[in-house]
Each structure stands twice: as C-alpha cells, then as structure tokens.
Amino acid sequence: MATVKDYLSENQDKLDTFTRAITAAHGKNHPEVFEVRKEYLNLKEAVAAGANLDNSFAQMRETTQNYAIPDDVCPTFEATYHMLANADEINAKA
C-alpha cells in the first residue's frame, strides 16, 4: 500500500499545476480555490517535514466541503479534488 507521502510525491507536478490552474480559471466564482492552493502548499511542506497530516486534511475537507465538486467546473478542478481526496483517504488508513 502506498503511503500518503508516496502518493503526493507521485502527483506533485499535477497537483502543483492543477491547484494553480483552478485558481486562475475558477477563482472568481469559487474563491475557496485560493485557500485550497494555500492548504495544498502547506500540506506539501508538512509532508516534507514528516509532520502529522491529520489537521491539514481536516482543514482541506472543511474548505472543500468534503471535496464536493461544484456543477460549473472543469475536469481539472474535478481531478484536483479527486487527487486530494485520495491522499486524504490514504492518510486516514495509515
């Protein structure tokens, strides 16, 4: 079973690009994506430091309303939330 650190490492390029892209594409209608981007960057730092990620993922779930995908977003937005939810699930199983 992959660790959350492995999963985030494998998807780092996509998540870096996607979290930045959704702020540009959807920030006007979904301002929470700016917080998602910030929380992702904090999560990345916490992983690198070997910190416990439970609080980081709790904050991400709150910000995203449990990774709920709005009806008016693009596939990149959807993929971003799916990847973050998968990382959260892996972390919860650890």
Side-chain angles (χ1 to χ4, degrees):
M1 179 168 107
T3 66
V4 69
K5 182 177 180 177
D6 293 340
Y7 181 83
L8 289 171
S9 178
E10 290 168 13
N11 290 286
Q12 181 175 339
D13 291 341
K14 275 187 184 177
L15 282 166
D16 278 341
T17 301
F18 287 10
T19 57
R20 188 177 309 111
I22 65 174
T23 62
H26 298 285
K28 182 178 177 185
N29 293 325
H30 298 283
E32 71 277 6
V33 297
F34 293 103
E35 190 64 24
V36 169
R37 170 75 178 159
K38 179 181 167 189
E39 290 169 9
Y40 166 69
L41 294 174
N42 291 338
L43 181 66
K44 195 166 79 166
E45 287 179 19
V47 168
N52 182 294
L53 305 177
D54 293 346
N55 289 337
S56 296
F57 280 115
Q59 184 62 45
M60 189 73 75
R61 285 191 301 276
E62 184 178 322
T63 300
T64 63
Q65 298 178 7
N66 288 315
Y67 307 102
I69 299 167
D71 293 335
D72 62 339
V73 297
C74 67
T76 299
F77 189 116
E78 189 172 343
T80 302
Y81 274 28
H82 283 301
M83 283 187 283
L84 292 169
N86 286 340
D88 191 353
E89 186 177 322
I90 292 167
N91 184 67
K93 291 179 180 177

